[in-house]
Amino acid sequence: MEPEQEGLPSSTSVILDGRMLALFKEVRSSVAEKSLEFTFACGGAIPIQRPSSQQVDPEPATAFSIPRTLPHSQFRSPPVQLRWDPNDASTPSSRAKITFPLGPSTGGNLEQLLEDMQPATFGRAGVDVYDEAYRKATKLDPERFSSNFNPYELGIVDTIAQTLLPSLRQAKQTRAVKAELYKLNVYSGPSGKFKSHVDTPRSPSQFGSLVVCLPLEHTGGALQVRHQGRTVTFDWSGSDQQAIRWAAFYSDCEHEVLEVSEGHRVTLTYNLYCVRGNGQLGGSCPTLDPKQLPMYETIREIVFDKSWGENGYIGYHCSHTYPHTTQTTLTFLPPDNLKGADMLMYEIFRSCGLKVLFRPSIEDPQYSAREDRELLEPWEMRENASPALGRSRKFDMWEYEVSGGISGTEEWDEWTGKEKMEQLSFDGDKPTPYRVSQHSRFINGEQVYWLNKRGHEEPQVSWISYGNQASAQMMYSSLTLVAVVPKGGAGNATDIGLDEAEEPEGVWQQTKVVSYHWNGEKQTFDEKVLLEGPSSWPPSSSETPGQGS
Ligand SMILES: O=C(O)CCC(=O)C(=O)O
Ligand SMILES: [Fe+2]
């Protein structure tokens, strides 16, 4: 049987000349130097407003005026009141409330709160477990407590939107942040902690987590957040507890709560989602300007070069991982939820008028096996380091000249890239299956110029194994951005409207002609490959050499 490359158009992509190679090299080193690296966590402190100094709105609302928003530096929080449902219904309600910082009237109820808290589980290998060696903490679900604390009123949500989720310059609608209360947690000394994990995403639009530390004296318990070798530490310990301290971070970043040695560290946690906003975020909403990046001009020069042939692709491996729905539906949400540097790279491509494709990726085993892979230049990598499609695909193979029928199913494991061969039925000796290896690679792997190598190799064990909640519904995956450079360069791009870059979700079907021998006779039939995920994989057949013919 002929390999499926039969009938492939020969590569018509640009052959890079010396000048283009030098430009590529320049961009690639900028990416490698992490000059694109962005903030992945932010935080702040909001002083507690003393009961005597009531916060006076500088310009009270009237029927005809909207109150002016206070500058963030002037925000004050009232003391935080907390009420909860006690385990024992006979507990008087006067015992089931507390104010932070602790005061004489309800301070004594801290013991009651600790008694009513439940053990805090976490997700390990898909199951919720309680294991004090990994997480020693207690929790209350939001149905069981209420509080007057509101992260919107205090400007926290605005600050997060501006820092972690800036909007695109050209977008018609800006991105905004929705904070959803998730838990009340207490980490108590000695040895309260939560070891390294990522937060289990609840939907593709979840991009981050917010932790608010209520003012209560404790020692230890710093929160550490890590991304690509950098660590940010938020330490809220100590006896000066006249402020509410908070931190927000991208939830695919590994983080941990170090041991609390004394006292109690009481937190409210929130899941952060990106939503479409109207741009009225607390007065100012800075937008991304890709022109500030040193690599902007160089990328422009590359993509506007007139020597590009058909089907040129420039690939970028995102610096963050992204949540998506189950293994079978694979619904990603970019560009709305792109984080930091990934959003910037997207914006650079878009501002050059290029269409951008989003693809999940896994390491290509063929590439990983190459001993010299570290030495490959990006233009050499195009043959060798194409990301494999990050999902399982089953297909039948018919290949044997035998009297009986044989069918096999080969499965490409979606996250590990490992193949499984499952023999369904055959007569006679077990045949050697024909492996359609290129199937899982990007556009036959031959025309993508990668700007960087695939990351996310180190923390996989912990980020796959440990979440803050078990989930079979949602997982993170590496994502690649692939910019499509038209023939003759970006000057010929017709797809310049930002919104057109967002490809509709839907079912994509690919038809592929498969040849097989049956009782000595060669037959062909159409094989349909069904993808239920977004139609952004793969691009339409006119852009996909080697498929559908
Ligand atoms: O309390 C903190 O600082 C972080 C807690 C956390 O990581 C979680 O609840 O998932
Ligand atoms: Fe967490």
Side-chain angles (χ1 to χ4, degrees), residues 103-172:
S105 58
T106 59
N109 291 347
L110 182 61
E111 286 306 314
Q112 184 67 42
L113 173 66
L114 298 174
E115 203 180 304
D116 288 330
M117 303 285 296
Q118 300 166 326
T121 55
F122 62 96
R124 183 160 58 198
V127 203
D128 269 326
V129 293
Y130 183 73
D131 175 356
E132 288 196 351
Y134 206 83
R135 183 182 199 188
K136 190 175 170 208
T138 55
K139 61 129 192 193
L140 277 187
D141 292 326
E143 304 77 43
R144 283 198 54 198
F145 72 92
S146 62
S147 125
N148 64 340
F149 180 79
N150 181 341
Y152 287 87
E153 282 174 2
L154 298 172
I156 293 175
V157 174
D158 286 350
T159 306
I160 295 168
Q162 291 169 11
T163 314
L164 298 184
L165 209 65
S167 294
L168 290 177
R169 269 180 319 129
Q170 316 153 353
K172 291 182 189 138

Side-chain angles (χ1 to χ4, degrees), residues 34 134 196-199 225-230 251-255 318-321 454-467 476-478:
K34 302 194 195 300
Y134 206 83
S196 242
H197 66 284
V198 294
D199 288 346
V225 188
R226 286 181 275 277
H227 179 57
Q228 305 226 324
R230 287 198 306 168
S251 38
D252 67 306
C253 293
E254 275 201 337
H255 55 279
C318 285
S319 112
H320 285 275
T321 56
R454 203 171 168 278
H456 305 302
E457 279 164 298
E458 329 80 35
Q460 276 182 0
V461 174
S462 52
W463 65 252
I464 290 174
S465 309
Y466 293 101
Y476 292 110
S477 177
S478 303

Side-chain angles (χ1 to χ4, degrees), residues 214-335:
L214 302 183
L216 185 62
E217 186 172 345
H218 62 275
T219 312
L223 165 67
Q224 293 198 321
V225 188
R226 286 181 275 277
H227 179 57
Q228 305 226 324
R230 287 198 306 168
T231 300
V232 177
T233 302
F234 299 92
D235 186 353
W236 304 316
S237 63
S239 56
D240 178 17
Q241 295 290 346
Q242 289 308 310
I244 291 165
R245 264 76 61 89
W246 62 272
F249 48 91
Y250 293 134
S251 38
D252 67 306
C253 293
E254 275 201 337
H255 55 279
E256 80 181 289
V257 180
L258 304 182
E259 279 200 9
V260 176
S261 53
E262 272 178 82
H264 306 280
R265 177 185 187 272
V266 183
T267 57
L268 295 169
T269 59
Y270 295 79
N271 294 326
L272 300 172
Y273 301 91
C274 58
V275 293
R276 290 291 180 88
N278 60 7
Q280 301 298 306
L281 298 170
S284 80
C285 178
T287 52
L288 290 171
D289 185 1
K291 290 184 183 144
Q292 291 168 357
L293 290 169
M295 71 187 75
Y296 173 79
E297 286 302 332
T298 320
I299 292 184
R300 263 192 91 83
E301 209 174 321
I302 290 172
V303 303
F304 277 89
D305 193 281
K306 292 196 167 47
S307 64
W308 284 93
E310 301 282 351
N311 302 313
Y313 297 94
I314 300 179
Y316 167 73
H317 294 286
C318 285
S319 112
H320 285 275
T321 56
Y322 290 87
H324 53 78
T325 47
T326 58
Q327 302 176 5
T328 50
T329 53
L330 201 77
T331 303
F332 279 93
L333 198 72

Side-chain angles (χ1 to χ4, degrees), residues 331-352:
T331 303
F332 279 93
L333 198 72
D336 279 12
N337 62 348
L338 287 178
K339 300 163 188 163
D342 304 338
M343 186 51 134
L344 270 185
M345 194 48 102
Y346 172 76
E347 167 67 341
I348 292 179
F349 290 143
R350 292 297 301 148
S351 67
C352 294

Side-chain angles (χ1 to χ4, degrees), residues 371-383:
E371 281 172 7
D372 61 344
R373 64 181 185 148
E374 288 310 314
L375 303 172
L376 294 174
E377 294 289 358
W379 41 92
E380 297 172 312
M381 283 163 60
R382 64 197 171 125
E383 287 285 357

Side-chain angles (χ1 to χ4, degrees), residues 310-457:
E310 301 282 351
N311 302 313
Y313 297 94
I314 300 179
Y316 167 73
H317 294 286
C318 285
S319 112
H320 285 275
T321 56
Y322 290 87
H324 53 78
T325 47
T326 58
Q327 302 176 5
T328 50
T329 53
L330 201 77
T331 303
F332 279 93
L333 198 72
D336 279 12
N337 62 348
L338 287 178
K339 300 163 188 163
D342 304 338
M343 186 51 134
L344 270 185
M345 194 48 102
Y346 172 76
E347 167 67 341
I348 292 179
F349 290 143
R350 292 297 301 148
S351 67
C352 294
L354 301 179
K355 183 185 176 91
V356 179
L357 310 169
F358 307 104
R359 306 224 174 165
S361 79
I362 56 173
E363 181 81 343
D364 185 330
Q366 265 173 287
Y367 166 66
S368 321
R370 280 181 67 120
E371 281 172 7
D372 61 344
R373 64 181 185 148
E374 288 310 314
L375 303 172
L376 294 174
E377 294 289 358
W379 41 92
E380 297 172 312
M381 283 163 60
R382 64 197 171 125
E383 287 285 357
N384 304 294
S386 311
L389 171 70
R391 56 165 296 151
S392 174
R393 307 178 71 184
K394 283 188 175 182
F395 48 90
D396 294 329
M397 292 168 298
W398 310 75
E399 141 176 83
Y400 310 99
E401 218 166 327
V402 287
S403 51
I406 290 177
S407 73
T409 306
E410 190 178 32
E411 196 177 325
W412 187 279
D413 184 280
E414 51 263 65
W415 312 120
T416 62
K418 288 193 189 117
E419 301 149 39
K420 274 192 286 193
M421 170 66 194
E422 193 187 315
Q423 188 95 27
L424 298 182
S425 68
F426 62 89
D427 292 343
D429 291 341
K430 187 176 174 180
T432 313
Y434 172 67
R435 200 170 74 98
V436 191
S437 63
Q438 302 273 11
H439 233 63
S440 297
R441 305 180 76 192
F442 183 86
I443 318 173
N444 293 308
E446 64 201 321
Q447 288 159 333
V448 183
Y449 294 87
W450 294 102
L451 294 181
N452 56 350
K453 291 182 182 171
R454 203 171 168 278
H456 305 302
E457 279 164 298

